[in-house]
Amino acid sequence: MPTAVAVTSPELVLPPPDRHTPPAAILQSAEPGERGGGLDRTLAEIHTLVEHHGHLLVVHPAAAPPALVHRLHAARAALETDRLALVGVDLPPLGTALLALQLRQLSICDFSPGVLASAARLLAHYLHAGAVLGSVARLDQVPVGLKAHAKSWLPGSQFAVVARPEPQLVRLAGDQDPGLKGPGFPTRLVVAEGGLPAEGVTGALARAWRVREVTHTKLPAESADWWGTGKLTEFAAAIPDISVLYQLVSSVRREECHWCGLELIGDRCAFCAAPLPPPGERGRRALPATRPAPGRLRGRERAPALTRPAPAPAERALPAARDPRLAPALDAGVTPPAGGPRIPAGPTGGPVTGVHALRPARRAAPADWGPGRPPPADPRPYEGTHQPPPPSRSRNPRS
């Protein structure tokens, strides 16, 4: 299954240019109002997509409501998964939809999920997004001078604005070429009309930018807030050929994320947000070799068993000295030498072996031992039989 590409609004879904492009997944819980849902519904939708496709890219505008962005990050933390990438795009709404379409086209190629998610930042540099506005008084996405602010109050004034990749703002004068700096390669132009006629975009601007194909679509609802006015015509131009997109992404050097192990292009991983280490430290790893494999849920693997270190080989002890008296008894088939010490017999009448050989030999009792021993030379007087001696008068040893 190809990597799934999801968007946070159905208005960010453009029709595919061919039948091979997979459809985009729409997070219904991200919609505002009662049709959306809480965190539980977001968890259910993301978990289903991750389990079905393996990896999931959620493309959302960088200017999305903070509550929506926080809910997506909370869902990722609650699932404890490294197979979900939250791709925030700093583009106008129509440009965001066109970028999501390009990611859908590349998802059927042989790119890994990490490379596909990192390619969003690369493709955004080759995408030109702008609009024709009736007023720039509330425009804060592009620097607007005082002269342009003053002219926006004149009736019938129109301005051509390019927000990405390089901010541009010019005042339109009739059907002439606005003189906007465009892409230096053939593009496909997507136009969404909303209150202003689109002839100026599809005519002079399309010829100046060498547009091959023009596609009309519905204006996203977020465009009015992004551009500061509801009287506009939004447009976006991008590379239409999937073979050119494939060569563009393939020509970039790939690196391995030192945190999650996925491939990436650029300087940051789109799945774990870990930055790329400096060139001198890219061969090192920040995690031990027991890190979880890419594409698995974290927190569900058992910790590796601890292994005891092998004990050091013990030094060979020297043989203990043997008693010559016990040597014949311990060695089978050896007879004691003539004139040597007599070996005591064991319980069965044979030579002493085993524990009995370790017992000391019996000795003759001394003459001063037993009841017939002589009394001591100066015996101390006892008051009676088996009575202890009387205690001293003073318990102080110094007295």
Side-chain angles (χ1 to χ4, degrees), residues 94-270:
L94 190 59
T96 303
L98 189 55
L99 179 62
L101 177 60
Q102 291 182 329
L103 294 177
R104 289 160 52 192
Q105 291 179 285
L106 292 177
S107 64
I108 61 176
C109 302
D110 57 350
F111 293 125
S112 62
V115 173
L116 181 63
S118 304
R121 299 176 58 190
L122 174 65
L123 298 178
H125 290 285
Y126 294 90
L127 195 147
H128 291 66
V132 176
L133 307 177
S135 174
V136 294
R138 299 174 56 188
L139 179 63
D140 55 358
Q141 301 291 341
V142 177
V144 180
L146 182 60
K147 186 177 181 180
H149 267 290
K151 290 183 177 181
S152 64
W153 294 99
L154 298 177
S157 298
Q158 293 184 4
F159 300 86
V161 182
V162 174
R164 303 291 184 273
E166 181 182 353
Q168 303 178 61
L169 190 151
V170 295
R171 186 173 182 268
L172 296 179
D175 296 335
Q176 299 179 0
D177 180 16
L180 294 176
K181 181 180 179 182
F185 45 86
T187 59
R188 172 195 179 193
L189 186 65
V190 181
V191 181
E193 185 177 348
L196 287 180
E199 285 77 7
V201 177
T202 59
L205 182 64
R207 290 190 299 268
W209 283 11
R210 297 183 300 170
V211 174
R212 289 184 177 180
E213 179 185 357
V214 178
T215 304
H216 292 268
T217 186
K218 182 181 177 181
L219 183 69
E222 296 84 1
S223 298
D225 295 336
W226 204 94
W227 293 103
T229 178
K231 191 177 181 181
L232 76 160
T233 295
E234 191 175 3
F235 59 88
I239 301 175
D241 195 351
I242 186 176
S243 60
V244 179
L245 295 176
Y246 181 85
Q247 295 178 2
L248 179 63
V249 178
S250 301
S251 61
V252 183
R253 179 180 176 180
R254 304 183 187 182
E255 300 287 346
E256 183 179 355
C257 179
H258 70 287
W259 185 264
C260 64
L262 293 176
E263 287 185 330
L264 61 93
I265 58 176
D267 58 351
R268 184 176 296 274
C269 179

